[in-house]
Amino acid sequence: MSNNLLVLSAAGMLVTAFLMVGQKALFTAIRLYGAQSWLLGVVAVTIALADDRPPLFVTAALTAGLKGLLIPWFLMRVVDRIGIRREIEPFLNVPASLLICLALTVVGYRVSTGFPEGARGVAHHVIGVGLSMLLIGLFLMVTRKKAVTQILALLTVENAVFLIALGITSGMPLVVELGISFDVLLAVLVLGILVHRIVDRFESMDVSRLSQLKG
Amino acid sequence: MAVYLTAAAASLVLARRPRLCRVAAFGGAILGSALVVALAVSVLAGGPVSGRLGAHAASGMTFGYAVTPLAAWFLLVLGLVAVPVALYSIGYLAHAVPGAKTAMVGASFNVLLAAVALVFAAADVVTFLFAWEVMTLSTAALVATEHEIRSTRRAAYMYLVMSHVGTGALLAGFLVLASASGSLSFEAVLAGNVVSGWWRDALFVLFFLGFGVKAGVIPLHVWLPEAHPAAPSSISALMSAVLIKAGIYGLFRVCAFGLGVPDVNWGLAVMAVGALSAILGVLYALAQSDVKRLLAYSTIENAGIILLGLGAGMTASALGHRELAAIGIAASLFHVLNHALFKGLLFLSAGSVVMATGTRHIEELGGLIRGMPWTALFFLVGALAVSGLPPLNGFASEWLTFQALLMGFASLPGVTRMSFPLAGALLAMTSALVAACFVKAFGTAFLAFPRGRAATDAHESPAVMLVPQGLLAALCIGVGLFPGAVLRTIGTVMVSLPGLRLPRDAPQATFTMAPGPAGFDHVVPLALGLTLMAGLLGAALLAAARAARRVPTWGCGGELGAATEYTGTAFSKPLMMIFKTVLRPTREVEALADVSPYFPREVRYRTAIEPVFERYLYGPLTSGVLGAANRLKVVQAGSLHAYLAYVLVLGVGLLIWLGGKR
């Protein structure tokens, strides 16, 4: 039962990542990220219940609270204030992006078979999902121009790393988890401010225009 | 070495007081160099000394020094030259370098000496490369002393670039050796059995390139004629006498005796490069009218002679002729010492001239023998020595080199047999041209009438600058008179090297040299020298016996002054014409006439030789590198997304590659 739930949530995370690739509206993308984080929380709770590891509850709560609520709220506020709501021209159109992400998922799964199987026998699913999400996140960073999408891509990568860590070790020490969570929060805050500055300066949040800063 | 570093520190501390600073820095250098000489002598008399400088516990690395007899020989050369040069610097820098820079020069000077000593004494790869780089950097700092001048900056830059290319080659070579032997100590790395097959050849080429840059052999020499004149004269002396020898030392240590029994082709390659350097070096020297550039090209020529001996020794060693190999190597080692002595002397004398007249251009000098008799005498001694006339030291080693080459013809088989006399012939031509070259330098600068105010007003340098020159001149004469004693010392060096066997009756008496198997000639330089002088004296007496009639020269109806004297350029012109296919001289005559073209008011004459290597080898190389860099610029687009894409592609590629392996 717990294994099924685990694989289901992991798969859900992968689906949200794919939806993000297919989505141009910024608000929806942020909500997708929130959903993804909640699913990560579910994964953590499942492992905590199955293995009887109470510290993982804290992790799950942090994940859901910070990444599922606080960060999406903050990003939405940023988007709202700037008034730019859509990713207009990605470097690659949506169908092509989806195809490439499919290929990346294949790569991720192919590689994950090399990892040792954990006690539950589902580790390679989790790791496969994690690696695929990591690659998709990187791909998003490469192809999207808007600063907010870049932040979301970074956060997706972060979620993916977290998922892989859960899959391999069934939970890192609590101190590490806390540290990572606050790191992410701070990064988002800083990036949010940066986005404001970029928009002020260029009247756009197109990151590719940053190259104009060159002397 | 600690003395050097202390002196360097003292020099920096006393930066505000130039006088005191000079004395402290160079006094320290003298003391340190004297200690180096003592160490070298004790090693040569006793046995190798080694020790540990420090160890890094975490990585298990140790940094040590080991003074082998070979290293001791080079240390001896270093010390013998450094003592006079340091003494000379005390006087010279007072005039040549403004007070504010004295501290910098003094410190760099000491650091350079310490680094070179460590290069010779290093016992492991890390220490060696570290010392090598410190040596390069401190030299660059010294070359750039007069950094206000554009050409000086260019020279220092060029030196740095060339040196780094060389060091890159060395680094690659040593890394291959170290990973193959699993150790960093020279004992293991240079045991000679680490690598085999074509790896060995590749390594030889790498090391030859790396050390060749420092040794200044053609075609890796381009930095040398720029850097030597740019540095203050005493520094030039040190560079030419000692720094070049660091490259030679590397060639000995690694190329000749570090990679196992040398291949025949290596020996021949070294000989070919040596012959090329010798002949081209002297030809370019002939074409110079800047005295320090002339000396710099002569340095290239002498590096070539050293390489000729080394190459002959390597070839013979490869073919199993151990006695012949010993002669070649001995000649090479002997010339290392001799070149250091007379080139140091010549640069110091040239420095005195530059200081007294303010110009390096010999066409503006003339008649200096009246104002500066001592400097003239010392320059003459150096010039005779570099020309290889008995009984001076240059003769001894060049004669040995000849012996090695000619005996090779007698005893070696096949194609190698032919290459030996060919190299010998080139060496003979080189010697003759060197003599011509220094007749030009000495004759133009010191004899005849002064050609300008600078030369008229020249006066002798202070004693602190003359004494070191006298010391070096005395060494030149002493070594020339007692070559047997020196050869005995070299004998102890060679016993320690593999693949050599001393000929039975090698150094017999103090006055004689006998390189070959019994029956080959024995030579007494002193006797030769006396014969030569007696001949000259006789000729002079004969000439004096015939009454000479003194009349003014016919001047075609015009006024004759100092400006119409026979110039150095004119002297070397016939030789330039003979070798014009090599030198490709260009000239430009421009007459400014007032009234009629037959009575020019002023004639301007400009002559230049084509820099063949710069234009045809380094030109395409530089533009090729720049072109490649330009094309690579596309990759460095400056776009964030492009960089991210690289990361993604690389990551996916790695995942597929590594994942697929399981």
Side-chain angles (χ1 to χ4, degrees):
Chain A
M1 158 64 194
S2 69
N3 275 356
N4 284 343
L5 189 56
L6 204 63
V7 175
L8 186 66
S9 329
M13 287 175 75
L14 190 58
V15 170
T16 54
F18 264 96
L19 287 177
M20 253 193 223
V21 174
Q23 191 52 255
K24 278 185 176 177
L26 294 180
F27 272 123
T28 322
I30 295 170
R31 282 195 201 103
L32 278 170
Y33 170 72
Q36 193 184 61
S37 302
W38 277 102
L39 284 169
L40 185 60
V42 173
V43 170
V45 168
T46 317
I47 292 179
L49 282 176
D51 293 7
D52 192 20
R53 292 168 60 95
L56 274 181
F57 285 118
V58 183
T59 308
L62 266 177
T63 307
L66 280 180
K67 296 184 194 165
L69 291 175
L70 197 59
I71 293 178
W73 171 77
F74 178 73
L75 284 178
M76 282 190 190
R77 226 180 54 137
V78 169
V79 171
D80 209 25
R81 191 172 293 175
I82 295 171
I84 297 174
R85 282 146 204 280
R86 291 185 70 80
E87 177 83 45
I88 298 173
E89 280 183 349
F91 283 114
L92 215 57
N93 63 19
V94 172
S97 301
L98 284 174
L99 276 177
I100 288 178
C101 287
L102 204 65
L104 290 178
T105 312
V106 172
V107 171
Y109 259 87
R110 171 77 188 77
V111 172
S112 72
T113 53
F115 282 87
E117 277 298 337
R120 279 181 301 281
V122 292
H124 86 263
H125 281 297
V126 177
I127 293 167
V129 168
L131 280 174
S132 310
M133 272 174 64
L134 199 146
L135 293 176
I136 291 171
L138 268 175
F139 175 77
L140 267 179
M141 265 199 237
V142 173
T143 51
R144 296 303 166 88
K145 288 180 180 171
K146 294 284 180 270
V148 170
T149 330
Q150 301 264 332
I151 299 173
L152 283 176
L154 182 72
L155 290 170
T156 308
V157 170
E158 201 270 338
N159 269 353
V161 171
F162 211 96
L163 184 63
I164 295 172
L166 276 177
I168 294 177
T169 67
S170 46
M172 291 176 283
L174 192 59
V175 183
V176 180
E177 307 263 12
L178 282 174
I180 293 177
S181 300
F182 281 109
D183 264 1
V184 171
L185 187 65
L186 276 178
V188 169
L189 284 176
V190 171
L191 286 172
I193 295 165
L194 201 64
V195 170
H196 273 297
R197 305 294 304 172
I198 293 175
V199 172
D200 277 354
R201 188 75 188 76
F202 294 103
E203 296 177 353
S204 150
M205 58 176 184
D206 187 343
V207 181
S208 60
R209 291 203 191 181
L210 281 178
S211 60
Q212 290 172 4
L213 287 174
K214 279 193 302 191
Chain B
M1 190 169 304
V3 176
Y4 283 137
L5 295 182
T6 318
S11 167
L12 285 180
V13 170
L14 299 172
R16 306 297 286 282
R17 306 180 48 192
R19 230 184 118 76
L20 205 57
C21 165
R22 269 200 306 281
V23 173
F26 294 108
I30 291 171
L31 189 61
S33 307
L35 285 178
V36 164
V37 171
L39 171 72
V41 168
S42 79
V43 169
L44 285 173
V49 176
S50 63
R52 181 184 282 192
L53 293 172
H56 188 238
S59 57
M61 280 204 289
T62 54
F63 307 103
Y65 63 90
V67 185
T68 59
L70 181 65
W73 177 253
F74 280 89
L75 282 175
L76 183 70
V77 173
L78 162 71
L80 280 182
V81 179
V83 170
V85 169
L87 185 59
Y88 179 91
S89 301
I90 297 180
Y92 179 74
L93 291 184
H95 300 266
V97 173
K101 286 184 189 167
T102 312
M104 220 24 242
V105 174
S108 309
F109 187 87
N110 279 296
V111 170
L112 172 63
L113 285 180
V116 178
L118 191 57
V119 162
F120 292 154
D124 58 87
V125 173
V126 179
T127 314
F128 181 84
L129 286 176
F130 172 73
W132 187 265
E133 272 302 272
V134 171
M135 179 176 86
T136 303
L137 292 179
S138 55
T139 316
L142 286 171
V143 169
T145 303
E146 291 162 26
H147 55 78
E148 300 85 359
I149 306 168
R150 198 181 147 77
S151 68
T152 304
R153 285 200 302 272
R154 190 183 132 75
Y157 179 69
M158 199 151 151
Y159 171 71
L160 267 184
V161 170
M162 293 289 296
S163 295
H164 276 111
V165 171
T167 311
L170 290 187
L171 193 62
F174 276 125
L175 283 180
V176 171
L177 276 180
S179 70
S181 70
S183 162
L184 282 172
S185 82
F186 269 175
E187 226 169 290
V189 165
L190 299 179
N193 51 7
V194 177
V195 286
S196 57
W198 66 270
W199 266 109
R200 227 160 64 102
D201 296 329
L203 280 177
F204 171 76
V205 171
L206 270 182
F207 282 116
F208 193 50
L209 272 180
F211 290 124
V213 168
K214 226 16 150 240
V217 297
I218 287 176
L220 303 169
H221 67 287
V222 287
W223 63 272
L224 203 146
E226 305 291 330
H228 277 41
S233 293
S234 58
I235 307 302
S236 318
L238 201 64
M239 284 174 75
S240 177
V242 173
L243 189 74
I244 303 295
K245 302 303 179 294
I248 305 278
Y249 171 76
L251 288 176
F252 264 94
R253 185 77 193 260
V254 180
C255 290
F257 299 109
L259 299 171
V261 176
D263 198 271
V264 180
N265 293 328
W266 301 358
L268 290 179
V270 171
M271 258 170 72
V273 170
L276 191 73
S277 303
I279 191 78
L280 285 181
V282 71
L283 281 178
Y284 285 124
L286 257 176
Q288 305 304 324
S289 57
D290 173 337
V291 62
K292 285 177 76 178
R293 271 184 93 89
L294 186 147
L295 290 178
Y297 275 114
S298 163
T299 299
I300 295 173
E301 168 248 322
N302 279 288
I305 294 178
I306 295 171
L307 252 60
L308 269 178
L310 177 64
M314 284 168 72
T315 313
S317 164
L319 293 170
H321 290 256
R322 299 170 63 182
E323 295 191 353
L324 181 58
I327 297 168
I329 300 294
S332 186
L333 285 175
F334 201 172
H335 202 70
V336 165
L337 171 69
N338 288 341
H339 173 241
L341 291 178
F342 61 63
K343 194 49 63 64
L345 171 60
L346 283 170
F347 264 115
L348 293 189
S349 304
S352 288
V353 169
V354 172
M355 193 181 99
T357 61
T359 176
R360 304 198 302 238
H361 204 65
I362 54 174
E363 311 290 12
E364 294 171 18
L365 306 175
L368 291 179
I369 198 166
R370 279 175 215 84
M372 332 174 56
W374 285 107
T375 307
L377 175 67
F378 295 139
F379 192 89
L380 182 63
V381 170
L384 289 178
V386 74
S387 309
L389 292 178
L392 289 150
N393 61 352
F395 167 74
S397 50
E398 285 190 27
W399 186 79
L400 264 184
T401 313
F402 271 122
Q403 288 304 327
L405 293 175
L406 296 179
M407 282 166 61
F409 175 65
S411 57
L412 293 180
V415 186
T416 30
R417 185 190 178 112
M418 288 322 295
S419 60
F420 271 63
L422 201 63
L426 282 175
L427 178 59
M429 190 156 86
T430 305
S431 310
L433 289 173
V434 171
C437 177
F438 279 90
V439 166
K440 164 186 165 178
F442 184 79
T444 317
F446 289 97
L447 302 181
F449 291 105
R451 293 186 179 80
R453 278 195 59 82
T456 323
D457 298 343
H459 49 82
E460 192 58 279
S461 317
V464 72
M465 290 168 64
L466 287 177
V467 169
Q469 294 179 35
L471 208 60
L472 282 173
L475 276 171
C476 280
I477 298 172
V479 170
L481 285 182
F482 308 110
V486 179
L487 279 178
R488 258 201 294 279
T489 318
I490 294 181
T492 59
V493 174
M494 285 196 297
V495 170
S496 73
L497 297 173
L500 303 179
R501 188 172 61 221
L502 282 181
R504 256 172 298 113
D505 50 353
Q508 277 190 325
T510 313
F511 284 109
T512 56
M513 297 193 300
F520 223 91
D521 12 15
H522 293 221
V523 164
V524 185
L526 180 60
L528 270 183
L530 284 179
T531 319
L532 191 68
M533 272 190 240
L536 282 177
L537 202 65
L541 283 176
L542 274 179
R546 301 162 57 127
R549 202 161 55 98
R550 284 174 180 271
V551 290
T553 318
W554 182 60
C556 303
E559 287 261 346
L560 284 183
T564 49
E565 275 170 1
Y566 200 45
T567 61
T569 313
F571 181 81
S572 55
K573 188 78 195 176
L575 285 167
M576 304 259 292
M577 294 313 290
I578 294 174
F579 293 103
K580 72 177 175 206
T581 36
V582 183
L583 292 173
R584 297 162 179 265
T586 52
R587 64 174 188 166
E588 220 175 281
V589 183
E590 188 184 354
L592 299 178
D594 282 338
V595 192
S596 136
Y598 299 107
F599 298 98
R601 179 168 53 85
E602 200 179 333
V603 180
R604 288 190 186 144
Y605 181 84
R606 190 178 302 126
T607 172
I609 54 169
E610 186 168 315
V612 177
F613 287 98
E614 282 83 342
R615 190 162 301 169
Y616 295 109
L617 180 63
Y618 288 91
L621 203 66
T622 332
S623 58
V625 168
L626 287 181
N630 256 330
R631 274 189 289 276
L632 278 179
K633 230 195 241 169
V634 177
V635 180
Q636 295 282 340
S639 148
L640 202 60
H641 292 96
Y643 294 146
L644 282 170
Y646 298 152
V647 173
L648 179 66
V649 169
L650 185 71
V652 172
L654 277 177
L655 276 180
I656 292 175
W657 184 44
L658 295 175
K661 274 195 175 173
R662 288 175 192 269

